[in-house]
Amino acid sequence: MLCTCSSNNSSFQSGEKADSFVVTTPLYYVNAPPHMGSAYTTIAADAIARFQRLLGKRVIFITGTDEHGEKIATAASAQGSTPSEHCDVISQAYKMLWKDLDIAYDKFLRTTDPKHEAIVKEFYSRVLANDDIYRADYEGLYCVNCEEYKDEKELLENNCCPTHLKPCISRREDNYFFALSKYQKSLEETLAQNPEFVQPSYRLNEVQGWVKSGLKDFSISRASVDWGIPVPNDNKQTIYVWFDALLGYMSALLEDKEQPSLQNAVSSGWPPSLHLIGKDILRFHAVYWPAMLMSAGLPLPKKVFGHGFLTKDGMKMGKSLGNTIEPNELVHKFGPDAVRYFFLREVEFGNDGDYSEERFINIVNAHLANTIGNLLNRTLGLLKKNCESTLVVDSTIAVEGQDFKDTVEKLVEKARIHYENLSLSSACEAVQEIGNAGNAYMDKRQPWSLFKQGGDASEAAAKDLVIILETMRIIAIALSPIAPSLCRRIYAQLGYSEDEFNNLNWSETKWGGLKGGQVMAQPKPVFARIEQAKETENAGEAAKKVVKKKEKKPQVQKVVEA
Ligand code: MSP
């Protein structure tokens, strides 16, 4: 765990336990309904949370919505709604999408929740008591979409924000400021001593660069925005939306009926093991947030991972360019497993990745329908025809004298290490290789011909089926963080109950789970192949391939709003 690294007031009892794993997604802005870009972070977080649960960790998976600030107030008024009605609608849209995508979060925090307001106020008071808040006049260029004052140096022509491609507005305000500059040295030390704190490593370099170039105090209140949490002792100002939202990670930890205090939040699981975010909000999470925590005397999160962008035509997918992929449409058309699998498998976690429907269909059909679904289905078909759907021997006996078991176990271990390292695409690939090994084994052994020969050959064929079904059992566990519904169906086909699936542990990926005498279900396809429309509406578009871009160093992106 990282040290508190600060100040005169670290009096909190951390809630961190050796077997706990707290993971967060960003709290999503409710200016517009979710698009595939926002769904991407949540799918990844869910896969990581599910993997950690398989390891037996006590997982708290936090997500939610960021509901205050100018951007939200403007979006509500454009819809003719009050901010609070607007927030209710959009926040519900997020919850519904998460349900459709099989997202099993533990906490959903809305920043308009009164318990959150209490936490923000207490935190603000602690920072104030630490002498880190002062009042000053500020004049600068503000990007409403980022909700951030910008440094002129980082702007494009006409003072355009490089993320949203819109001109920043000149503003002058009398605000409260947070003394970020005081934490320059502590941040430098924290980053140097904990190279794992910011990942991937190329993002750490970026963060170190920002810190090195000199940290400036930033304003943490707005005089011109009503839709927010009032500054304690000054009702004319509201707390800056980022200073408010980051604390959502902490207030989310509170139990429903619990007194909303920082101490209670902290003892329920602070600090988190992992903040999962997109690269556009790295500065807030890896610079502002740790400094704020240091000031309040609270432990820092253990890791901040900044993933890349989903792009279309090389541009960040976002509402203002109208180049988003509608996640509801995708999930209703192809189902949650296909959507989750495609984005986690095809986009190397950390890098950007482009979407094309043709690529989506090809990948999902090849990996989930053919390699996995078909292997299970044809094996169960043969077992039904030749062995009354019953396993003839234990899987350990079936595999005696063969190195196939070692191949599978090595690949499972590979998958485990990749999951641990958040290399989700490589974890999928390792599981896929297990499927490939199973298919190659079937093709080599051809049990369907062995059954025809009868006698010893037929006995050997029956053992081959046990081997493949054991392989499928292992795949179902190892792929369950990525494609939970599909794996649940595989597990049911192998004759297990829903409860058995829900209580799985990663240690059960060890060879030997299936026992002789176990009766399999009737073969029924677990993943329907997606039939590709002959005439795509936009053939040129569909022909594009997913481009995996290796990011060696941070690039200035021509990107648009989330
Ligand atoms: N409200 C803030 C976060 C506050 S956290 C205390 C915010 N919200 S957001 O809705 O704009 O973005 C949420 C997340 O979605 C960010 O991590 C962002 O990177 C991610 N994405 C938005 N568009 C994206 C893509 N096109 N691709 C991948 N992820 C992107 O920022």
Side-chain angles (χ1 to χ4, degrees), residues 181-395:
S181 53
K182 261 174 77 173
Y183 294 91
Q184 167 101 25
K185 197 155 179 294
S186 315
L187 275 171
E188 274 171 13
E189 281 167 12
T190 300
L191 296 169
Q193 287 160 15
N194 303 281
E196 298 280 288
F197 180 51
V198 178
Q199 285 190 354
S201 56
Y202 43 84
R203 302 228 190 280
L204 173 66
N205 299 340
E206 198 174 354
V207 173
Q208 281 177 317
W210 291 330
V211 177
K212 217 171 165 185
S213 69
L215 294 178
K216 286 201 197 127
D217 299 349
F218 66 97
S219 80
I220 54 166
S221 72
R222 295 291 179 269
S224 55
V225 180
D226 296 335
W227 181 238
I229 298 174
V231 168
N233 306 321
D234 186 349
N235 281 341
K236 292 203 179 67
Q237 304 231 8
T238 54
I239 293 181
Y240 172 44
V241 62
W242 271 100
F243 196 90
D244 156 353
L246 285 161
L247 281 155
Y249 297 140
M250 210 171 270
S251 33
L253 287 166
L254 290 165
E255 298 302 333
D256 276 347
K257 300 225 162 68
E258 203 174 17
Q259 153 97 22
S261 69
L262 277 176
Q263 177 57 71
N264 282 341
V266 167
S267 34
S268 301
W270 196 261
S273 319
L274 173 65
H275 283 320
L276 210 59
I277 56 163
K279 60 183 178 181
D280 51 336
I281 54 175
L282 188 60
R283 193 193 305 257
F284 294 104
H285 285 80
V287 180
Y288 293 9
W289 182 222
M292 285 162 60
L293 289 165
M294 286 175 187
S295 168
L298 286 158
L300 307 192
K302 282 184 272 176
K303 193 175 289 180
V304 176
F305 186 100
H307 66 67
F309 288 152
L310 300 187
T311 59
K312 236 181 151 204
D313 306 325
M315 303 283 276
K316 181 191 174 202
M317 215 178 270
K319 292 280 168 195
S320 31
L321 257 201
N323 66 346
T324 56
I325 299 168
E326 216 343 291
N328 282 303
E329 213 174 88
L330 219 54
V331 79
H332 291 139
K333 209 159 147 193
F334 302 121
D337 296 307
V339 176
R340 294 169 63 111
Y341 183 81
F342 174 78
F343 287 105
L344 297 182
R345 172 71 175 85
E346 271 307 284
V347 185
E348 198 176 305
F349 204 45
N351 297 339
D352 293 351
D354 214 47
Y355 169 85
S356 94
E357 184 167 296
E358 185 181 276
R359 184 76 181 149
F360 182 99
I361 294 176
N362 288 344
I363 289 289
V364 161
N365 276 347
H367 298 186
L368 301 185
N370 295 353
T371 307
I372 293 176
N374 209 12
L375 178 63
L376 175 66
N377 201 248
R378 62 188 178 132
T379 312
L380 287 178
L382 283 170
L383 192 79
K384 181 179 177 197
K385 191 167 159 206
N386 299 288
C387 311
E388 295 175 349
S389 292
T390 307
L391 304 185
V392 290
V393 283
D394 289 1
S395 45

Side-chain angles (χ1 to χ4, degrees), residues 12-32:
F12 289 104
Q13 290 283 308
S14 159
E16 193 199 1
K17 306 206 172 54
D19 64 344
S20 70
F21 187 89
V22 179
V23 56
T24 68
T25 71
L27 307 181
Y28 299 99
Y29 282 133
V30 290
N31 57 322

Side-chain angles (χ1 to χ4, degrees), residues 109-141:
L109 187 277
R110 297 182 57 184
T111 57
T112 45
D113 186 330
K115 73 179 180 191
H116 171 71
E117 178 164 342
I119 291 293
V120 174
K121 286 183 166 164
E122 190 187 338
F123 187 91
Y124 185 97
S125 305
R126 285 186 72 86
V127 175
L128 184 68
N130 202 37
D131 242 355
D132 286 339
I133 295 180
Y134 62 92
R135 196 167 176 154
D137 256 346
Y138 188 75
E139 187 166 8
L141 290 162

Side-chain angles (χ1 to χ4, degrees), residues 441-476:
Y441 184 89
M442 276 291 255
D443 294 346
K444 185 172 125 211
R445 299 280 305 163
Q446 305 202 342
W448 51 92
S449 333
L450 295 175
F451 277 123
K452 283 189 196 138
Q453 292 169 33
D456 287 352
S458 184
E459 258 177 50
K463 283 186 181 172
D464 288 338
L465 300 188
V466 175
I467 289 173
I468 296 301
L469 292 169
E470 174 67 358
T471 307
M472 289 310 312
R473 188 189 68 80
I474 293 169
I475 289 177

Side-chain angles (χ1 to χ4, degrees), residues 145-164:
N145 283 305
C146 292
E147 291 279 18
E148 189 183 21
Y149 276 106
K150 296 283 182 185
D151 205 332
E152 245 169 275
K153 288 201 297 271
E154 52 181 302
L155 299 179
L156 308 175
E157 233 174 274
N158 296 327
N159 290 336
C160 276
C161 160
T163 310
H164 297 96

